[in-house]
Amino acid sequence: MEGRTIGRADRPAAFITDALAGAAYAEGLGHERPAVLAYFPLVRLNPYQALLYRQCLAVGIAAVPLPSLDDVEALAGLRGAGVDVVLHLHWLNQITKSAASETEAAASVTTFLARLDAFREAGGHLVWTAHNVLPHDSRFPAADAALRQGLADRALLVHVLAGGTV
């Protein structure tokens, strides 16, 4: 398992099992307080994620792909099992992608940010990698900008890939 991420992103029901198994494996490697780093989305063709997460187990972090943003609530179950949990978000264009109007997009952003607030209130931590200022295909720039500001306001850490993003 060393040098790889774990999890079966194509099987959402297995997420909690995989996360707990990863934390137990990290503990077995001698890490007294392992953590789970749930990341979303899993992008198999992007080498960035594989490079970013491949050495996590070596430092006591079980990196597990979160199957869906609908599974954010499941992360609280990990906290209940005594595991530290970090949610690492990447590309989030799907939050507003299916909206029919700016109002609907704004409502989707509000709902998603409320889910993140609940996750944080349950003791979870949020990290965001800002790959782009706005999604390439943004149809609702105001809602997408509000989402990004909301992420920046809530994140323990914001990781930017380019100076222009700041």
Side-chain angles (χ1 to χ4, degrees), residues 86-87 89 116 119-120 124-128 151 154-157:
V86 176
L87 174 60
L89 298 173
L116 293 181
F119 166 70
R120 291 175 60 234
H125 303 287
L126 178 66
V127 173
W128 172 45
L151 290 169
R154 288 162 175 81
L156 178 66
L157 173 76

Side-chain angles (χ1 to χ4, degrees), residues 4 13 16 18 34-35 52 56 59 100-101 148 151 154:
R4 340 173 320 175
I16 295 296
D18 290 344
L52 184 63
C56 283
V59 295
S101 67
R148 277 139 185 81
L151 290 169
R154 288 162 175 81

Side-chain angles (χ1 to χ4, degrees), residues 45-103:
L45 296 178
N46 187 307
Y48 169 78
Q49 284 185 328
L51 289 170
L52 184 63
Y53 301 128
R54 73 178 175 186
Q55 293 300 316
C56 283
L57 279 172
V59 295
I61 300 169
V64 183
L66 188 69
S68 164
L69 290 174
D70 292 335
D71 297 315
V72 168
E73 286 82 4
L75 296 174
L78 294 171
R79 289 288 303 146
V83 176
D84 288 330
V85 181
V86 176
L87 174 60
H88 186 186
L89 298 173
H90 293 272
W91 305 273
L92 295 173
N93 56 325
Q94 71 172 300
I95 301 295
T96 60
K97 186 177 179 178
S98 62
S101 67
E102 187 75 43
T103 301

Side-chain angles (χ1 to χ4, degrees), residues 2 8 16 24 26 32 51 55 59 63 71 74 102-103 108 113 115 131-132 139 156 160 165:
E2 193 77 37
R8 298 166 281 183
I16 295 296
E32 290 182 27
L51 289 170
Q55 293 300 316
V59 295
D71 297 315
E102 187 75 43
T103 301
S108 294
L113 292 176
R115 293 169 105 180
H131 292 268
N132 308 97
R139 295 184 305 131
L156 178 66
V160 294
T165 302

